Amino acid sequence: NLVDPQAEDRELKGQLLRKYSGYLGSLKQEFMKKRKKGKLPKEARQQLLDWWTRHYKWPYPSEAQKLALA
């Protein structure tokens, strides 16, 4: 009996989104309020903020996305 790990991941993602989607939206608002002067270059911060804006409902990058963001 083989189990599809991607199917398990999708199911877990769906469960977490249903349970925490409202909380994630409020987190986005909170992060946007707290604009601190960071130690990263402006260009790097902007790329991270752009990624967050596109993915705030599920803010967990894949390994490939982590490499691209780094």
Side-chain angles (χ1 to χ4, degrees), residues 5-63:
Q6 289 181 339
E8 287 180 343
D9 289 348
R10 284 190 298 273
E11 176 62 28
L12 176 60
K13 180 179 176 179
Q15 289 173 0
L16 290 171
L17 278 172
R18 284 188 293 278
K19 188 170 183 178
Y20 297 109
S21 63
Y23 180 69
L24 291 173
S26 65
L27 267 180
K28 179 186 178 191
Q29 291 175 349
E30 192 65 31
F31 285 136
M32 296 307 277
K33 279 195 264 182
K34 295 181 180 180
R35 295 212 178 234
K36 294 181 182 177
K37 191 115 179 150
K39 294 183 179 184
L40 291 174
K42 183 178 180 180
E43 204 173 273
R45 275 194 323 271
Q46 190 58 51
Q47 284 185 349
L48 291 170
L49 285 171
D50 290 346
W51 185 91
W52 172 260
T53 301
R54 291 188 312 273
H55 298 92
Y56 75 93
K57 288 187 176 182
W58 184 255
Y60 303 101
S62 67
E63 293 303 316

